[in-house]
């Protein structure tokens, strides 16, 4: 089987603004999936609500477009039920770290074989540009006329502090690097976070492609993503330079390997056999609580 | 004849274990028994009790009569002695003086057996001895329970022997001796939470996600015990929102998916419920009610969330509300809930409550052979033959073809936005209208499948008492007693609560001379439903506001007052 | 006479600004105007429009008639040309050929003004010229809007001048010229979201927490603009659950607290709503409805969440549901919501929707002087005199004395568990019963305060049309036209939706010869409420399922068909 | 004014199990508050649901006992409305890090002047001992018969990774140190996390007082809590030894100082002046959007 980007072509008209960084990400997704030789019917893209979450409609692919901020939770349900499929989440940083922050936190703990791609455009774009969890402190918004008072979330440090087994960073301004990063993340067996610095020309005139080109740099060959202390230092130093590539890698047992009883078959094929209850009942009847 | 036993003490003193041993023992002796508990929201201390109602006749209602009070603390004596029936006795240790105390000293017998910790086993043995449970039934129980731990087995066996002997030796014992039962010693001893979990297994559950919350936790603890055997993926989620969204994801992927929670957790699932409605994903949600608002009384019972469940979620979408009428019925209702959910691609909410969940009964073994076993997903073979697959294809019934991703070369697209037939988001008013109408047609299909209510007695021109859920059993028993004098009061119980077809229900309620709704909640939930659906006023309402179940005695008094007046 | 102008194009082309300039201009010219929008859920592209209905007479309904279509894209021409009335024209640029095109070339005029970006200003000037808006009104508008940016001011002024001149010079102009208005040039040009926010300020809001969600975001964006001036603490929370729990905390601490959201966000607040009910904390929740289920149609309108709001939350607790009848009424209703919330220590839900929130009207300046200014907290002085303070002291009215922590030496204790008079958690059935009954008495007190419905026309023996919320205005206009022929159809609009006292409402609906409910939702929310409360069937229902508002024309047709048949 | 622990005495009977670690914490709370000379009416204790959250009922103190997991959100509302009061959260680790993980995360970002005390007993005690976010991997529970598969949350690393301005750790097994730690946290101007290793004899027979006495050690004089890298290394090394004391301190602007317009008066005293709307209206009328 040989999959091409054309297999992922969709006829749904795209509702993003011209010049949006999401286009580069969309192309990288097509490229990575086809280069991994994954056919659209073996992949599920799971999203919530926002601009980034519209992405799977612009592909031909199994799509679960659920609720704002709940994409990771739904993806866990999908993956547990269908462990033969490749499950990828695309979320805005508002959904993944704001509304859905709790799911993100606990998904890291599980280390299921999921890839979570966060399109970080530093704002709630679809609802008209309000501050998001990563908006730099001091940014003036209508709801924060004297500037955002909260410090931005540091999702990379958060992930590494919780031993997230794959942490990568890309930017829509460096499309050349994106597909490779996505491929590595999807290939990685375990929970992968791909944080993408995404440009949003409609609401953010500072973080332009040019800006990211200037402020980002590729991690060199000498960088060891398995050195946790170094990775933490890297992502916790002030943010005027952003490293691109695989920031952190850790070998951890996969969720279902470590303790879930082996789910050998995807659940969709399971017959209903009411008699199973008989067996359970027998065991139950034998025991006094 | 029946004997009511109340085992009371502080949380952690083993009342639950004692009740379980006794319940199982009387079940194996061919008697009938129902047991329920009254517990505080704490792990040790306070005043809890387990109540067993044992009879040579079938019995399923709740009563407040107490013939034998086992009081493990002074507080238990003081608080509960007033509940004793005439001739009732207290079993307690010597230092707890009380005029009703039987001369059977728990503490002393326990000490003789070598450990203060076996007091509850002594209590079991004393009660067994009093009611005439055969010691050949008792002994295996002690082995089953403590056999795994030699250090425990020894003193418990001793406690059993000496307790049993002491009771048998007591001269005033006769009034507690139960006549033999019907000889059926093969009945099950099953709790509501076990019945609900069993029903889920019978219904083919393959995925469960949930977050602990009383009284629903016990349901998924059972599923936890059985996960390997029954092949269920169980996920303890970080919160209830995660649980319902996991359920939605798993259902999309073709699992028979379920969650269980109580009011507060259900409140957090409401957005997800609306998601299930929009993407038309099947799911079963067990809502174990307890008194609200908010945290309320976490370990008590109520039936206060019917209308909340009926309207929970923004926008309109079909859903089904079911309510088991008894502990055994929990099995059926839950099993059928899975069938209905998948058949109609809707969320099904099973309304139960703390009383039903935490009640244990002796019951005939259920048969699963006749239960539905159909799956409604397109098979991989059927799918492969389709030139195109569209998840929300229009259909007269409103039921579009459902497929799981990965089952064929087709992709499956679902969207929480309003969408077109392929599942892609839309801005079009026309497409939206088509989809809304499709879901309305589906709602009509669901309504046609509604189960008829259970009606007992002649309704025409007679008073009609209406119930749903856990209070059905006590009301049925109260009415049986009232009707024994020829009163002729009819009873209607609803196991299918929503959607409620207007015509058949209206026909029944309009035939009655008066209607009375019994519901354990401060405001009438079913009262609202009936008024809306039938446009008939409810003449009498019997409600409870204390978080405690209705007792048969109380119902007889109230029903006689209200309905017979 | 009225002229309907529709400015259509892709998101980001400035239609909203153009509509705003025009709306303000016609308002300052003494005409009446209502404007609403139709937008997709995207930031650039697609097809959106803003519709202005301008008249020399008061007008407040929605219409689909278009006399002047400003089409900024080819798609706008193609899609919307069919909506043109007889004689209606399209203003577009030359290359967009269409038989109805007026010879007034937008693109060309914009280019002459020096920038393609001023097309929308050209459009404003053209329309102004056509309808006869005085250029002395137009020019200051351009200065107000673009004055801050010299680079923009210049081309926009040019665009204005040349557009205006071109329109005035067009020979077929006369049919668009509006007769002079009533000379009242001091009216306000106010949007629903501004009115809701203003009402909150008038009601004394001091705390707002919320999370962005269409269509409610605009409400708190306004409050954001005013936070310093009006002294409001505004907190953008991480999610809606945080928002409602912050509101509960702030209300406990004595703030007048508020949030605003839409169905999905409200769903997440349901547990918190129940908390407010239990701790008896006052709060105002604005629920800006849009079509569901789930994400639905995020930028469209609906009235589908009435019953959801009525029953949201586990357990029983009093709440008040209000619905503004118009944009100006948003001010009153929201202001009074704060008074009611604090007076009765309950959550008050203000039900509005995308249509009402995003509609802008010309209106007389409101007067705030007569609005309630009472605070119902015990004052520090009163508190200091109390020997003991108990938050949930029993009271005949159900209204316990409310104090804020920090106002005296007394401590204030609230608890989401069932609690005693002091606010401490309880396990007692008796205490629980006392508290439940206290809240039920409070519910009765609330019901006594219900606002009477607004009834227009004679009901006795006549058909009665019933509305709530945003469709009130269009229905009123439709009925005015129908009744102009002496039809005598009465109209009842409910601004206070719940709790609904049965007697007065029943008296009204039972007097009518038939009742018709108009609601913008797939299933009838008010229909359920009326059936339940009055036990009278609703004879006709007019609903919409497209996410678009009812137009007056459509309502006239439907009402004539249904009601007059 | 001189406050004593007696001022905090409550007559509500305590529903904790005999031997519960919460008793030591309760005493430390009384001690710290009275030693800080804070009278009960100037303090609000805000809690959710669980065993730990019952704490304020056993004190005479302003109490907001709200929803499970929402204690931090409610406390933010209280503090914003009443900035003259000392607001302290007591939560179980289930509420603070499980159900309420998202609020915890974003509260750190805000850096309001709040103290959050988490009683970590490694389980959901009130609901009968289920696994919580900090239950060690591999622990067998009824819902996890093959052992908990998720890695436990590392709340200390999480907090430090997000520059939480005060991070301390105590244990109920070392009551002698608790009041001092609580005092430091309450005195600290900014968001303080006090993580307490709390014993729960009813559900956990491993983490006994003895266990914690053996596995915990006091941080020495030489430990510099302002060295972030060192603090992170300390809390991310495997967990057989638990440091006690102030683990991390960072100077950060307070939320309301940095951007919220000064709330000079607590909101409870504010009159309702409908005319304020007139002023707003005037400004609004002047501007074209
Ligand atoms: C429960 C809920 N709350 C709020 C919203 C409104 N909403 C839609 S998208 C969005 C923000 C999206 O921001 P982000 O996730 O960063 O995605 P982006 O649009 O920036 O790509 C919000 C708040 C919603 N749909 N659901
Ligand atoms: C929304 C919601 N979900 C679940 C519960 C049930 N519940 C009560 S306490 C508790 C766990 C408490 O654990 P933790 O926070 O660690 O406190 P602990 O009892 O261990 O002190 C849960 C799950 C609830 N009250 N509300
Ligand atoms: S608003 Fe920003 S993120 Fe959204 S489509 Fe436009 S440019 Fe992209
Ligand atoms: S269960 Fe554990 S935490 Fe709860 S009171 Fe008992 S010992 Fe303490
Ligand atoms: Mg974003
Ligand atoms: Mg805990």
């Amino acid at each position: 089987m040989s999959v091409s980007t054309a297999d992922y072509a969709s006829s749904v008209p795209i509702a993003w603004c011209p010049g949006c960084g999401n286009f580069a990400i969309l192309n990288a997704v097509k490229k990575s999936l086809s280069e991994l030789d994954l056919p659209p019917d073996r992949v599920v893209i799971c999203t919530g609500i926002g601009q980034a979450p519209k992405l799977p409609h612009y592909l031909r692919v199994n799509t679960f477009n659920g609720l704002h901020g709940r994409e990771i939770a739904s993806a866990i349900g999908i993956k547990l039920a269908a462990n033969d499929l490749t499950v990828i989440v695309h979320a805005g940083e508002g959904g993944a770290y704001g509304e859905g922050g709790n799911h993100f936190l606990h998904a890291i703990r599980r280390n299921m074989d999921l890839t979570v791609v966060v399109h970080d455009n530093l704002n709630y774009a679809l609802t008209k540009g309000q501050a998001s969890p990563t908006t730099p402190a001091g940014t003036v918004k209508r709801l924060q006329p004297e500037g955002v008072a909260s410090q931005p979330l540091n999702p990379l440090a958060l992930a590494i502090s919780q031993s997230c087994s794959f942490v990568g960073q890309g930017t829509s301004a460096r499309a050349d690097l994106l597909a490779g990063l996505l491929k590595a993340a999807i290939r990685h067996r375990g929970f992968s976070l791909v944080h993408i610095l995404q440009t949003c020309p409609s609401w953010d005139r500072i973080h332009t492609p040019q800006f990211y080109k200037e402020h980002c740099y590729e991690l060199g060959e000498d960088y060891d993503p398995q050195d946790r202390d170094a990775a933490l230092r890297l992502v916790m130093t002030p943010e005027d330079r952003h490293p691109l590539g695989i920031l952190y890698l850790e070998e951890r047992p996969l969720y279902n390997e470590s303790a879930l009883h082996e789910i050998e078959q995807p659940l969709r094929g399971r017959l209903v056999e009411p008699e199973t209850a008989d067996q359970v009942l027998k065991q139950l009847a034998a025991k006094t609580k | 004849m029946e004997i009511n036993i109340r085992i009371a003490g502080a949380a952690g003193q083993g009342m639950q274990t004692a009740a379980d041993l006794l319940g199982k023992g009387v079940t194996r002796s061919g008697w009938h028994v129902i047991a329920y508990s009254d517990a505080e929201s704490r792990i040790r201390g306070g005043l809890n009790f387990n109540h067993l109602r044992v009879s040579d006749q079938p019995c399923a209602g709740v009563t407040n009569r107490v013939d034998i009070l086992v009081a493990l603390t002074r507080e238990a004596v003081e608080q509960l002695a007033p509940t004793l029936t005439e001739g009732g006795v207290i079993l307690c240790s010597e230092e707890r003086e009380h005029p009703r105390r039987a001369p059977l000293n728990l503490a002393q017998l326990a000490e003789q057996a070598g450990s203060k910790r076996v007091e509850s086993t002594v209590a079991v043995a004393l009660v067994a001895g009093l009611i005439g449970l055969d010691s050949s039934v008792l002994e295996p129980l002690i082995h089953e329970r403590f056999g795994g731990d030699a250090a425990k087995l020894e003193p418990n066996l001793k406690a059993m022997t000496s307790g049993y002997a002491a009771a048998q030796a007591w001269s005033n014992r006769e009034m507690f001796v139960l006549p033999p039962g019907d000889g059926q010693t093969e009945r099950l001893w099953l709790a509501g939470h076990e019945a609900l979990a069993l029903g889920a297994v019978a219904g083919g559950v393959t995925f469960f996600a949930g977050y602990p919350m009383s009284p629903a936790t016990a349901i998924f603890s059972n599923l936890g015990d059985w996960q390997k055997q029954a092949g269920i993926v169980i996920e303890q989620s970080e919160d209830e929102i995660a649980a319902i969204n996991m359920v939605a994801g798993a259902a999309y992927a073709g699992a028979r998916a379920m969650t269980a929670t109580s009011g507060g957790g259900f409140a957090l699932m409401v957005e997800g419920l609306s998601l299930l409605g929009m993407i038309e994903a099947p799911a079963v949600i067990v809502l174990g009610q307890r008194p609200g608002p908010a945290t309320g009384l976490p370990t008590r019972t109520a039936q206060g969330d019917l209308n909340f469940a009926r309207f929970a979620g923004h926008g309109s979408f079909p859903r089904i509300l079911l309510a088991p009428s008894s502990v055994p019925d929990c099995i059926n209702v839950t099993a059928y809930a899975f069938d209905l959910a998948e058949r109609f691609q809707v969320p099904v909410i099973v309304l139960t409550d703390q009383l039903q969940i935490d009640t244990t009964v002796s019951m005939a073994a259920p048969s699963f052979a006749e239960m539905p076993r159909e799956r409604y997903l397109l098979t991989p073979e059927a799918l492969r033959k389709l030139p195109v697959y569209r998840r929300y294809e229009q259909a007269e019934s409103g039921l579009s073809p459902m497929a799981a991703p990965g089952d064929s070369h087709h992709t499956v697209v679902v969207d929480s936005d309003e969408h077109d037939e392929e599942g892609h988001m839309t801005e079009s008013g026309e497409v939206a209208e088509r989809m809304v109408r499709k879901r309305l047609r589906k709602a009509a299909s669901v309504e046609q499948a509604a189960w008829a209510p259970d009606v007992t007695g002649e309704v025409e021109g007679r008073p009609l008492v209406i119930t749903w859920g856990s209070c059905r059993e006590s009301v049925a028993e109260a009415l049986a007693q009232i009707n024994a004098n020829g009163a002729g009061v009819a009873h209607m119980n609803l196991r299918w609560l929503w959607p409620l077809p207007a015509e058949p229900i209206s026909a029944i309620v309009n035939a009655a001379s008066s209607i009375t709704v019994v519901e354990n909640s401060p405001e009438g939930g079913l009262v609202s439903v009936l008024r809306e659906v039938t446009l008939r006023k409810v003449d009498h309402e019997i409600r409870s506001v204390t978080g405690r179940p209705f007792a048969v005695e109380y119902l007889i008094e109230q029903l006689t007052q209200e309905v017979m007046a």
Side-chain angles (χ1 to χ4, degrees), chain B residues 211-214 240 264-265 268 290 295:
Chain B
Y211 187 84
M213 186 161 198
S214 306
E240 290 87 350
L268 291 167
R290 68 190 213 191
T295 310

Side-chain angles (χ1 to χ4, degrees), chain B residues 389-412:
Chain B
Y389 168 72
R390 307 200 301 169
R391 174 66 187 89
Y392 302 105
E393 192 79 59
Q394 290 293 327
E396 189 51 41
S397 63
L399 298 171
S400 303
M402 185 161 56
D407 259 351
S408 75
H409 61 291
H410 295 297
T411 55
V412 182

Side-chain angles (χ1 to χ4, degrees), chain B residues 308-436:
Chain B
F308 176 30
R310 181 158 69 110
F311 288 114
H314 46 302
S316 313
F317 53 94
R319 76 192 75 196
I320 296 173
L321 306 191
L322 306 176
S325 60
S326 65
V327 170
D329 194 37
C330 286
I331 301 177
N332 289 296
V333 165
T334 313
Y336 278 88
F338 280 90
D339 183 71
L340 289 163
E342 196 169 295
R343 175 141 63 107
F344 292 111
Q345 309 176 25
V346 293
V348 177
I349 302 171
V350 177
L351 282 153
T352 175
D353 57 21
Q354 185 271 329
L355 174 62
Q356 201 166 58
I357 289 173
D358 292 338
T359 290
T360 311
V361 300
S362 56
M363 59 174 277
S367 159
F368 302 102
E370 308 283 280
M371 284 186 170
R373 47 184 71 237
E374 202 169 338
R375 290 221 58 183
Y376 303 86
L377 287 173
L378 288 176
T379 61
E381 300 69 46
L383 262 170
R384 258 179 254 124
K385 284 188 215 134
L386 290 181
V388 280
Y389 168 72
R390 307 200 301 169
R391 174 66 187 89
Y392 302 105
E393 192 79 59
Q394 290 293 327
E396 189 51 41
S397 63
L399 298 171
S400 303
M402 185 161 56
D407 259 351
S408 75
H409 61 291
H410 295 297
T411 55
V412 182
V413 180
V414 303
D415 188 2
S416 73
D417 295 274
E418 194 55 274
H419 41 253
D420 60 18
E421 279 72 5
E422 297 194 339
H424 291 300
M425 61 174 90
T426 187
E427 290 284 355
S428 154
E430 278 151 58
V431 175
E433 173 157 10
R434 283 208 306 269
M435 279 298 144
V436 170

Side-chain angles (χ1 to χ4, degrees), chain B residues 3 14 84-85 95 103 109 164 170 173 175 182 203 216 220 277 282 315-316 322 341 421 423 489:
Chain B
I3 294 289
L84 281 174
T85 48
E95 78 262 30
L109 287 161
Y164 192 78
W170 185 39
R173 178 188 161 240
M175 64 173 299
D182 58 11
F220 64 109
S316 313
L322 306 176
E421 279 72 5
V489 179

